[in-house]
Amino acid sequence: MIFTDTKNPDFAESFNELLQRGKMDIAHVSAIVANIINEIKTDKNSALKQHISKFDNWTPSCDEDLKISTESMSKAYDNIDSKLKAALHLAYDRIKVYHEKQKPKSWFDTEENGTILGQKVTAVDSAGLYIPGGKAAYPSSLLMNVIPAQVAGVEKIVVCTPTPDNEPNELLLAACHLCGVSEVYKVGGASAIAAMAYGTQTIPKVDVITGPGNIFVATAKKMVFGDVNIDMIAGPSEIGILADDSANANHLAVDMLSQAEHDEMASSILITPSQKLADEVRVEIENWLIKLPREEIARKSIEERGAIIVTSDMDEAIKLMNDIAPEHLEVATDNAFELLPMIKHAGAIFLGHNTPEAIGDYVAGPNHTLPTGGTAKFYSPLGVENFMKKTSIISFSHKAINEIGEACALIANTEGLTAHEQSVRVRMSK
Amino acid sequence: MIFTDTKNPDFAESFNELLQRGKMDIAHVSAIVANIINEIKTDKNSALKQHISKFDNWTPSCDEDLKISTESMSKAYDNIDSKLKAALHLAYDRIKVYHEKQKPKSWFDTEENGTILGQKVTAVDSAGLYIPGGKAAYPSSLLMNVIPAQVAGVEKIVVCTPTPDNEPNELLLAACHLCGVSEVYKVGGASAIAAMAYGTQTIPKVDVITGPGNIFVATAKKMVFGDVNIDMIAGPSEIGILADDSANANHLAVDMLSQAEHDEMASSILITPSQKLADEVRVEIENWLIKLPREEIARKSIEERGAIIVTSDMDEAIKLMNDIAPEHLEVATDNAFELLPMIKHAGAIFLGHNTPEAIGDYVAGPNHTLPTGGTAKFYSPLGVENFMKKTSIISFSHKAINEIGEACALIANTEGLTAHEQSVRVRMSK
């Protein structure tokens, strides 16, 4: 763990290490992934089956074997505990309400000469959602990807998830039933991304692919980008915390560990002007670690990629956090809303002492798929807009083209584009 | 030119050719572009200078030589004809007004238990705009890229444009002055994209890169995607026209040629239920072609990539056009607005007989940077949102976490994430 003070002579070096935290070196997997994509493009289902044999330890005997039956989903749903069922429904409803609020609307405006300009917003026809499987199968990931696509109005929603040993995760199946998803395929990794990007005999080609995954999935998403749209290229999860003396060290320690328990590559970074808080959180982390079933992962993450930085004041802390642009940012101060305007870059901001990051992972409502590794400087959370696209609307009257046509013809002429110029002039009154 | 009828036995084959129109095979340039990017990453300015010597036929003698002076921009502006100046100002003002209307707003909502959820929308810190240079230097491209970045509120706007023989295009310089852009570099191609993605001693690293370019530029944009955001991967320009007997064949012919004159690779596709119109447009295209200074390019484009398709009715025409998802779509019918709801995919739609596509290239207001090659099925026009990003806002009160925390803790527990669960439980009342 980096435990430092901005006054340390080697601070700049330590901090630079944090800025590089999310860098994925895809070079060493590029050739493998390109090969997988080409195999799927060429051999489609038969390549899919081979990849499943190789990576998931079972062999589909026919094309139908690739698909999960809706019966098994409804059965899984019936089998889950009623309290958990209620919790998942609460999550579903809250996520849906939030995403409905962010849905963009078509609009237009008119000018008195008869001009109409606007923007038509429509759903993409189809979306492919990648949901990690096996031990890291999270029903919450399914909700967070399906709901924005449903709110957008996507007609065809397809899910791909790896199923090692041909044993689908029961919770994921239950969540599929809850969400009303019916087209789920037992395909994972780069193969799944390629199948959804280019289509096979069984898996349809889609317009947009979203969802988290390992470096093979991320690399495949980058490679198919342009042939389909994708949400973002995401790396390991991370949390940044801005806090002062008003914060509870015990709470912040467990918040940091809630990132660390995800993944050895996860980063947890506390920046505070309070030396006292910094010291306390460091101790509390140790107290919590030994209580966690996932201690090993969390300890490695904290040791190798955790950081506690003491600054001269909150302004300096905010400045550093803006450079980091964390996926999740907790602001654990009494005046969290006062600090909000100064915070420039983060995937999601959790304000005040009662808002642990985990509440946003499941039930708060906003999406938990967020930009990582500093990409919050230019990417947005997954949302309804990822499943929609815009079309410009332009309509001119005869009066309007007469009024504005000359300027248009003049610029076209200057650019040497005569047919452009003439297409306007032929419509103007002589 | 494809001149066909949907009843022709080989129609499906011809139509499939049109669907493949935008496919760029980047495989053969990938190695070259990857190499250029690596050279810029490693050798920065010195690599830039070598690339300029090689591709633009002049050699910068010092780092300052890479930058265009603001004096030369204001001088170029002073030198342009007053009518053209007025036309460019009209274009600037109309584009700005349109883009201001599409600027997204931050929002939040509250629940009575003390929950606040919302979305904060902010500009990216910096943007890099690529503007093609040399013979294809279009001042309109500058306006269409700069204005959305300015409306978004981007603080640092950088422009890169190739300047063969060290002779900047005077119109482009004038447009830079008009737009108030001051940081313009004489760097083109994949080198420019790499320089803006990773930074050099002279050119700053930016957050978002937009702008049109050839296959090397498009490939470089795809390769740096993830380290920065990009607008889209665009190919050759194209127009689709839906028309009936109410349309003017002479007008439609010149509209098709306004695409064809851009580029031999451009596609111009008319789909109509009127055999009469189809025959007339075919004749008019020939009449226009011989009058165009860019006849050679336009003729090659029309011959190799033009199409006129006769359908049984307008419904069939619309269905085919939705499959094509053209960059520009003209609806040349008396009832254009009645057809609008049925049109699912297009970059921009030009409605009615008085709205030639060229009006949208320059002065209408909407952006002329649009998705090509069928990518309108999932990409949107360039806009203010390309230069902004969103951050989710979440704030819970003590009452709110007490009400909703249990559901959250339960799901976290089910997913095996104990620290997630505990980070919620420690904040709930015992």
Side-chain angles (χ1 to χ4, degrees), chain B residues 236-248:
Chain B
S237 195
E238 55 192 32
I239 190 170
I241 303 178
L242 287 169
D244 60 16
D245 274 327
S246 69
N248 181 317

Side-chain angles (χ1 to χ4, degrees), chain B residues 114-154:
Chain B
T115 305
I116 300 177
L117 300 176
Q119 210 166 42
K120 187 184 178 198
V121 193
T122 47
V124 299
D125 287 338
S126 55
L129 317 180
Y130 185 80
I131 309 295
K135 53 182 178 174
Y138 299 140
S140 56
S141 295
L142 186 86
L143 270 65
M144 291 294 185
N145 280 271
V146 168
I147 295 169
Q150 288 177 333
V151 170
V154 178

Side-chain angles (χ1 to χ4, degrees), chain A residues 120 222-223 343 385 390, chain B residues 120 223 343 385 390:
Chain A
K120 187 184 178 199
K222 177 165 174 168
M223 286 184 176
I343 297 166
E385 290 184 285
K390 303 188 173 86
Chain B
K120 187 184 178 198
M223 286 183 176
I343 298 165
E385 289 183 286
K390 303 187 173 86

